Amino acid sequence: MYEEVRNTLVVSCVVAILLCVWKLIDMVWVTPLKLEKYLRNQGFKGNQYRFLFGDTKESLAMFRASKSNHIDLDHDDDAVLSHVVGFSYKSMKYHGKKYITWMGWQPRVTVMDPELIKEILTKMNDFQKPKSNPLGRLLATGVVSYEGDQWAKHRKIINPSFHVEKLKNMVPAFRLSCGEMLEKWEKLVSPKGSSCELDVWPHLQTLTSDVISRTAFGSSYQEGIRIFELIREQSVLAMEAFQSLYFPGSRFLPTKRNKRMKAIDKEIKFSIRSIVDNRLKAMKTGEGNFEDLLGIILESNIKEVEQHQNKSHGMSINEVIEECKLFYFAGQETTSSLLLWTMILLSKHQEWQSRAREEVLNVVGDKNMDIDGLNRLKIVNMIFYEVLRLYPPVVGLARKVYKDVTLGEHSLPSGVQIGIPIMLMHYDEKNWGSDAKKFNPDRFSEGISKATKNQVIYFPFGWGPRICLGQNFAMLEAKMALAMILQKFRFELSPSYVHAPHIVLILQPQHGAQLILHKLQ
């Protein structure tokens, strides 16, 4: 009897091991080869599958090489694309605008046809966001990463936070934060004969962090400074995780990065939970603030639960915390990136800086700006649109099909990822003309629809149902900041500035942004 049980266990273990081995072989070899053959029959060109790593090693090598180089801002050729999205650009040049690359053992088809992109970004259920590296999800999840009913629920609850009437109430906070930054700049300039060299990048990060703290939580940047420091560190670690092959279960390994990311996540959640708990207590006693983003979300959440008499229609406290983490990360990083590249390009193109300043002074003079005045800044709008075209905060989008679907004339099997290269689309001469790589805000003089000929070729904030909820918030904040800067300062590139845009989840200056500030008399 004992022998029979032992033999049965041995056979069961052997079968289980063989099944696991076969599953692994199927995942990293058999299925990729099947998918590759299928996609090539659909007309997709691209790199051949290389066992296990795919194109990861080459892509990472090109990314690391770019970090040791910089580019000449005077160039309007392919330097920016080669530097920022080198692997994608090389693949497009070699294989055309419809090609296969390999994210480890998973194939990704990249498409640059506006009609196909429109279809992908419209059909949310067919083309979903890929499930990211679990370590990357420690940075932030929230509405940006959800699908289906969960996405719809969160979008509905959060949407009132960004209504135009609510944004009007946040303008004073924008103005206060910008005013504090400019006071610091004036103190730096005054002792140095009305001009000085300054790396504006950390100042712009502090500004947008301060704005998020005030508008989202009613507090100043100093109260939330630890959260921002942790989120910046988490961004770097998350970027490393995204560039590495992820094996199922590897997040549980006690590596230095894994342990640090989990510790950061725990500390951030603890800090935000304290803020949320204190707000809920205040609301129960009638002292809650409903004018900031957190207050609006909590109020919207309570109304949704009361309306349906069911807690499942609202967000849990943990879900509210994740949305707050998303505010901290996305709200701060996107706007600081936009302002940074705007100041760099206006430093290079002084004629546009002068035109923008003249408009600001004509529309509002040296007075405090309100939302109506900001909305009349047409030239500033044109400049921002062009900056977002050339230096979008996010350089590409990804989707994945979890069932066999049709895309245009193509049939895509389950398991295939889809790449939408924002930056390549924004620089494409077929879409934008022979000056596609040049800074020319005039192309937006009649608005985005006219500039794009109503095609889906411009989407710095995404497109379709999942378009960024916070885009109006970001644009309004950026307009306030730039207008106030233009009222007080003229700026130009410092000889010490090194142009090296690089990606740490969003597009940032690798070596800072050294400008010469001149105080206007």
Side-chain angles (χ1 to χ4, degrees):
M1 184 67 179
Y2 172 77
E3 287 294 326
E4 289 181 6
V5 172
R6 189 187 68 175
N7 290 339
T8 301
L9 288 174
V10 169
V11 170
S12 298
C13 288
V14 170
V15 170
I17 291 170
L18 289 174
L19 285 174
C20 288
V21 170
W22 166 248
K23 189 173 182 180
L24 183 62
I25 292 172
D26 182 62
M27 180 177 71
V28 302
W29 185 248
V30 177
T31 295
L33 292 180
K34 285 181 180 178
L35 291 175
E36 180 178 8
K37 182 178 180 181
Y38 188 90
L39 291 171
R40 291 193 186 281
N41 288 337
Q42 292 289 314
F44 289 96
K45 298 179 181 179
N47 297 338
Q48 287 188 327
Y49 173 60
R50 285 170 283 189
F51 177 69
L52 199 61
F53 294 99
D55 294 319
T56 306
K57 287 184 177 180
E58 182 182 356
S59 175
L60 187 56
M62 292 184 72
F63 176 79
R64 286 173 175 164
S66 71
K67 293 185 72 172
S68 61
N69 299 321
H70 65 275
I71 54 180
D72 189 342
L73 191 56
D74 288 325
H75 286 177
D76 54 29
D77 54 14
D78 300 337
V80 174
L81 292 178
S82 297
H83 187 85
V84 178
V85 288
F87 181 74
S88 297
Y89 185 54
K90 176 186 174 184
S91 299
M92 183 200 73
K93 295 282 281 186
Y94 192 76
H95 300 296
K97 295 181 179 180
K98 186 178 69 176
Y99 59 86
I100 308 168
T101 53
W102 293 91
M103 314 298 291
W105 52 83
Q106 295 187 41
R108 171 178 287 184
V109 296
T110 295
V111 296
M112 294 182 64
D113 183 320
E115 287 302 313
L116 296 184
I117 292 174
K118 181 179 180 180
E119 185 176 348
I120 293 164
L121 296 180
T122 302
K123 296 181 178 179
M124 292 172 48
N125 293 329
D126 289 342
F127 306 99
Q128 299 185 11
K129 290 206 167 186
K131 294 178 176 62
S132 63
N133 185 320
L135 289 171
R137 290 201 292 271
L138 292 176
L139 178 63
T141 54
V143 67
V144 72
S145 61
Y146 297 145
E147 297 288 347
D149 292 342
Q150 188 179 23
W151 173 84
K153 177 178 74 174
H154 281 242
R155 184 92 176 188
K156 181 181 180 182
I157 292 171
I158 295 169
N159 199 52
S161 306
F162 297 99
H163 190 275
V164 63
E165 291 303 317
K166 299 296 184 182
L167 292 179
K168 282 184 179 180
N169 295 330
M170 297 176 189
V171 168
F174 294 166
R175 189 163 50 235
L176 179 60
S177 295
C178 294
E180 289 178 356
M181 180 185 74
L182 293 178
E183 283 181 16
K184 293 176 185 176
W185 289 9
E186 288 179 316
K187 289 177 181 177
L188 291 170
V189 168
S190 295
K192 298 189 177 184
S194 297
S195 68
C196 74
E197 178 178 315
L198 181 68
D199 180 359
V200 299
W201 176 232
H203 290 258
L204 295 175
Q205 288 180 300
T206 300
L207 163 66
T208 53
S209 299
D210 195 20
V211 167
I212 285 294
S213 286
R214 283 191 168 113
T215 57
F217 308 108
S219 62
S220 72
Y221 172 68
Q222 292 301 320
E223 293 177 58
I225 190 169
R226 178 59 181 163
I227 295 176
F228 285 111
E229 288 173 349
L230 291 168
I231 284 178
R232 287 194 187 116
E233 184 182 353
Q234 194 81 304
S235 298
V236 174
L237 295 172
M239 188 69 186
E240 293 175 1
F242 291 143
Q243 292 174 336
S244 306
L245 278 181
Y246 175 74
F247 291 93
S250 62
R251 70 182 184 275
F252 299 113
L253 297 175
T255 64
K256 183 179 178 180
R257 184 175 67 198
N258 286 1
K259 289 191 289 185
R260 181 57 187 154
M261 290 189 75
K262 290 173 184 176
I264 290 173
D265 183 59
K266 184 177 180 180
E267 187 174 346
I268 291 173
K269 284 181 177 177
F270 179 83
S271 297
I272 295 177
R273 188 175 192 103
S274 177
I275 294 172
V276 173
D277 287 344
N278 288 336
R279 181 63 62 85
L280 287 171
K281 289 176 184 176
M283 289 169 69
K284 286 180 180 179
T285 60
E287 300 173 358
N289 174 15
F290 292 107
E291 295 303 316
D292 58 25
L293 291 172
L294 177 59
I296 296 166
I297 285 178
L298 291 174
E299 183 182 38
S300 178
N301 194 45
I302 292 168
K303 286 181 179 178
E304 193 69 18
V305 171
E306 290 177 347
Q307 180 182 342
H308 295 277
Q309 294 295 303
N310 191 328
K311 283 188 175 182
S312 67
H313 284 268
M315 295 189 294
S316 68
I317 295 298
N318 286 334
E319 287 176 322
V320 171
I321 290 170
E322 286 301 323
E323 297 299 348
C324 290
K325 283 170 62 182
L326 187 60
F327 283 157
Y328 263 116
F329 171 70
Q332 187 266 332
E333 295 286 353
T334 302
T335 313
S336 58
S337 175
L338 170 57
L339 281 169
L340 180 281
W341 298 116
T342 299
M343 292 192 74
I344 293 295
L345 288 171
L346 290 185
S347 293
K348 178 62 183 173
H349 300 275
Q350 289 287 324
E351 71 281 10
W352 279 102
Q353 184 182 150
S354 297
R355 287 179 64 179
R357 181 177 295 104
E358 183 179 355
E359 178 183 62
V360 169
L361 295 177
N362 285 338
V363 171
V364 295
D366 58 359
K367 300 176 183 177
N368 288 335
M369 272 154 282
D370 57 22
I371 195 168
D372 294 326
L374 293 172
N375 286 336
R376 294 201 303 273
L377 298 177
K378 179 182 176 182
I379 291 174
V380 170
N381 254 352
M382 289 161 50
I383 289 169
F384 279 142
Y385 292 155
E386 181 71 341
V387 173
L388 287 167
R389 187 183 72 83
L390 294 172
Y391 292 87
V394 178
V395 300
L397 301 174
R399 295 292 186 265
K400 188 172 182 178
V401 297
Y402 292 93
K403 60 182 180 180
D404 295 353
V405 299
T406 300
L407 175 62
E409 299 177 349
H410 305 290
S411 296
L412 299 181
S414 174
V416 171
Q417 288 193 27
I418 302 170
I420 304 173
I422 295 175
M423 202 164 187
L424 293 183
M425 290 293 293
H426 285 189
Y427 278 69
D428 191 353
E429 291 186 358
K430 181 181 177 182
N431 297 325
W432 299 96
S434 58
D435 68 342
K437 298 178 180 69
K438 294 182 179 180
F439 179 72
N440 178 20
D442 270 329
R443 72 177 83 246
F444 289 104
S445 60
E446 297 181 64
I448 293 174
S449 296
K450 190 78 171 179
T452 61
K453 301 174 184 176
N454 290 309
Q455 299 181 90
V456 185
I457 59 174
Y458 178 78
F459 36 94
F461 291 103
W463 196 88
R466 297 198 75 122
I467 194 167
C468 176
L469 265 172
Q471 66 169 320
N472 291 332
F473 178 100
M475 291 296 286
L476 191 63
E477 178 190 351
K479 276 193 274 189
M480 173 68 78
L482 182 62
M484 290 181 68
I485 291 169
L486 290 169
Q487 283 178 325
K488 294 182 177 294
F489 293 95
R490 182 175 66 82
F491 45 92
E492 60 183 316
L493 291 175
S494 166
S496 61
Y497 172 67
V498 176
H499 193 53
H502 79 137
I503 303 168
V504 182
L505 299 183
I506 59 107
L507 201 60
Q508 302 183 7
Q510 184 179 347
H511 306 296
Q514 295 77 21
L515 303 183
I516 306 287
L517 298 180
H518 300 277
K519 181 76 172 68
L520 296 177
Q521 302 301 324

